[in-house]
Amino acid sequence: MILMSSTTAWKALSWTSAVAAAWAARKAATAIWSKASDTEAPVNPADRSVSWAEAAGWAGLAGLTSAAARVLARRGAAAAWEGVTGDLPPGVSAV
């Protein structure tokens, strides 16, 4: 059986939740964009066929969903860690 330090385990949990959050944020942003604009989300906002307004709108939406997903993932991972171990994750302090 391989045992890892609590710091390594926390990093693995934190990384896994961040990857899942990034995937979910991209899916959410694409769905919101498609529903709100009745067009597909820009694949490459730097493409010259994408208007500045469309590129800026996509950047704002993608940034907002990414930030929200990151907060939810970090807090969820910390809550799961605390539920399993009874302690706060390494490097996280109660304020």
Side-chain angles (χ1 to χ4, degrees), residues 3-90:
L3 297 176
M4 62 177 79
S5 72
S6 61
T7 301
T8 302
W10 169 244
K11 286 180 181 179
L13 176 61
S14 182
W15 180 85
T16 302
S17 67
V19 170
W23 176 82
R26 176 68 180 203
K27 289 288 190 184
T30 301
I32 292 167
W33 182 273
S34 295
K35 184 117 176 142
S37 69
D38 292 327
T39 63
E40 293 295 316
V43 174
N44 181 4
D47 186 345
R48 299 188 117 189
S49 67
V50 176
S51 71
W52 276 99
E54 190 176 19
W58 173 250
L61 179 61
L64 179 67
T65 56
S66 294
R70 183 176 180 190
V71 168
L72 290 171
R74 291 187 125 214
R75 290 182 65 101
W81 180 274
E82 191 172 4
V84 170
T85 67
D87 295 321
L88 290 173

